[in-house]
Amino acid sequence: MANHSRWDSIKKQRGEPSEESRAGIEHDLALGQLIYDMRRGVNLSQRELAQRMGTTQSVISRLEEGGGERN
């Protein structure tokens, strides 16, 4: 279970994201949803898609969760 008070503290320290950051986050989430929908539409697991793409299951998972680029 997540420690919500800790998350609240982190959010307060970071502040609200800029409009540019917010747009980037929304783009990453939309792309993740598209990857998920297409993968499920052809009945592939994350592992199977990763193998076809020459990457790992964890990369596919991160992309589907809207992880986008890593900072």
Side-chain angles (χ1 to χ4, degrees):
M1 180 179 223
N3 183 340
H4 295 289
S5 62
R6 176 153 163 68
W7 284 116
D8 287 341
S9 296
I10 291 170
K11 285 190 242 178
K12 286 178 186 174
Q13 289 173 353
R14 290 186 179 175
E16 287 294 317
S18 67
E19 287 300 315
E20 183 177 333
S21 292
R22 188 179 305 275
I25 292 166
E26 289 177 8
H27 178 267
D28 290 347
L29 290 171
L31 180 59
Q33 186 66 52
L34 179 62
I35 293 168
Y36 172 82
D37 291 343
M38 293 180 78
R39 177 180 65 77
R40 295 295 301 231
V42 294
N43 201 30
L44 288 175
S45 68
Q46 288 181 344
R47 184 174 308 278
E48 291 167 328
L49 178 59
Q51 288 173 340
R52 289 181 182 207
M53 292 178 64
T55 190
T56 63
Q57 179 273 327
S58 63
V59 169
I60 302 301
S61 176
R62 188 175 76 235
L63 289 171
E64 287 184 0
E65 291 173 356
E69 65 183 81
R70 222 172 239 199
N71 295 327

